[in-house]
C-alpha cells in the first residue's frame, strides 16, 4: 500500500484524515466572500448565508427549531413557518417578519422596541415572551402573551392610539381580516 511502515487500521485512519483535510480545503476554496444569498439546510431549517444583508429562516421539519437573534432574543419557529429580518437591526428598533407560527422570548432593550410583522398585524414589545400564529389562508393572526406586555395593532392603524390593544400575561387577541376579537 502507499504508506510503508504503517500497518492495519492505521493506514485507513491516515487515509481518512487526508481525505477529510483535502475536503475541508476544497470547500473553503469554494466559499467566496460575495454578498449573495446561499441557501443552507440543516435538520429541516433553511437559512440563507450569513453574508447576506437579509437573514431568512424557513422550517420544514416536523420539530420546532430554535433561532437565536444577535440581540439575545430567542425564537422557536414551528413547522411550515418562516422568519426574516435585516442583518443589522435599526438603531432605534428591531424588526422581524413572520409567516406561520413562532414563540418569541424577546431580550429587553428599552431603547429599541421589538416589532413582529405578521400579515396585517404588528406586535410591539420591549422584552417579554409571547406566541404569534399567522394563518394567511384564514386571514387570521393570533397573539398570545406568556409574560410581560405587548401592544398589538393593524399596520394600517399604527398612528391611531385608540385602535391599539395592550395585552398582558395570559391574554390573547385574534385578528381576522376586518374584525378583532379579544379572547
Amino acid at each position: 500500500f502507499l504508506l510503508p511502515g504503517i500497518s492495519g487500521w492505521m493506514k485507513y485512519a491516515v487515509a481518512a484524515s487526508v481525505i477529510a483535510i483535502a475536503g475541508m480545503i476544497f470547500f473553503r476554496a469554494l466559499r467566496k466572500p460575495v454578498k449573495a444569498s446561499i441557501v443552507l439546510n440543516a435538520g429541516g431549517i433553511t437559512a440563507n448565508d450569513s453574508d447576506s444583508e437579509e437573514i431568512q429562516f424557513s422550517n420544514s421539519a416536523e420539530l420546532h427549531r430554535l433561532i437565536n437573534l444577535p440581540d439575545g432574543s430567542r425564537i422557536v419557529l414551528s413547522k411550515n413557518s418562516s422568519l426574516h429580518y435585516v442583518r443589522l437591526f435599526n438603531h432605534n428598533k428591531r424588526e422581524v417578519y413572520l409567516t406561520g407560527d413562532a414563540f418569541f422570548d424577546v431580550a429587553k432593550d428599552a431603547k429599541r422596541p421589538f416589532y413582529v410583522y405578521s400579515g396585517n398585524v404588528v406586535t410591539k414589545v420591549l422584552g417579554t415572551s409571547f406566541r404569534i400564529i399567522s394563518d394567511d389562508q384564514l386571514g387570521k393572526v393570533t397573539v398570545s402573551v406568556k409574560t410581560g406586555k405587548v401592544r398589538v395593532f393593524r399596520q394600517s392603524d399604527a398612528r391611531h392610539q385608540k385602535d391599539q390593544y395592550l395585552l398582558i400575561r395570559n391574554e390573547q387577541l385574534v385578528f381576522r381580516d376586518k374584525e378583532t376579537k379579544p379572547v
Side-chain angles (χ1 to χ4, degrees):
F1 192 62
L2 297 174
L3 303 170
I6 300 177
S7 63
W9 64 271
M10 284 296 287
K11 287 182 182 180
Y12 297 107
V14 170
S17 297
V18 169
I19 291 171
I21 291 170
M24 288 187 328
I25 291 169
F26 176 75
F27 285 111
R28 276 194 179 224
L30 287 179
R31 183 176 165 89
K32 297 176 184 174
V34 177
K35 297 283 183 190
S37 179
I38 300 168
V39 175
L40 308 169
N41 190 332
I45 188 111
T46 304
N48 64 331
D49 185 30
S50 59
D51 287 340
S52 176
E53 187 71 22
E54 184 175 271
I55 308 297
Q56 299 176 357
F57 294 94
S58 254
N59 186 8
S60 61
E62 291 295 321
L63 302 172
H64 299 318
R65 297 295 182 196
L66 177 65
I67 299 168
N68 293 307
L69 297 183
D71 70 341
S73 297
R74 297 163 37 111
I75 300 170
V76 179
L77 195 61
S78 296
K79 177 183 175 184
N80 297 326
S81 299
S82 62
L83 178 91
H84 70 275
Y85 64 94
V86 176
R87 167 189 290 288
L88 298 174
F89 285 129
N90 187 318
H91 292 295
N92 52 359
K93 62 183 169 180
R94 303 167 286 169
E95 297 175 298
V96 299
Y97 300 84
L98 171 69
T99 302
D101 181 359
F103 180 81
F104 294 82
D105 188 5
V106 177
K108 292 183 181 184
D109 186 344
K111 294 180 181 176
R112 294 185 317 153
F114 192 96
Y115 292 86
V116 180
Y117 298 89
S118 48
N120 186 32
V121 176
V122 180
T123 304
K124 176 184 175 184
V125 299
L126 294 175
T128 189
S129 61
F130 58 97
R131 181 177 181 189
I132 297 178
I133 303 171
S134 178
D135 189 331
D136 290 340
Q137 290 179 341
L138 295 176
K140 180 173 131 179
V141 175
T142 305
V143 180
S144 306
V145 178
K146 181 177 179 187
T147 62
K149 298 178 197 175
V150 300
R151 185 167 305 278
V152 185
F153 52 93
R154 294 184 190 281
Q155 284 184 345
S156 57
D157 298 336
R159 297 176 195 213
H160 304 96
Q161 288 289 334
K162 65 179 179 142
D163 297 328
Q164 297 186 13
Y165 301 89
L166 182 65
L167 300 177
I168 61 172
R169 188 178 137 203
N170 296 327
E171 288 187 337
Q172 175 176 296
L173 185 66
V174 178
F175 282 87
R176 292 198 169 82
D177 279 333
K178 291 295 177 189
E179 64 180 87
T180 304
K181 180 181 180 184
V183 178

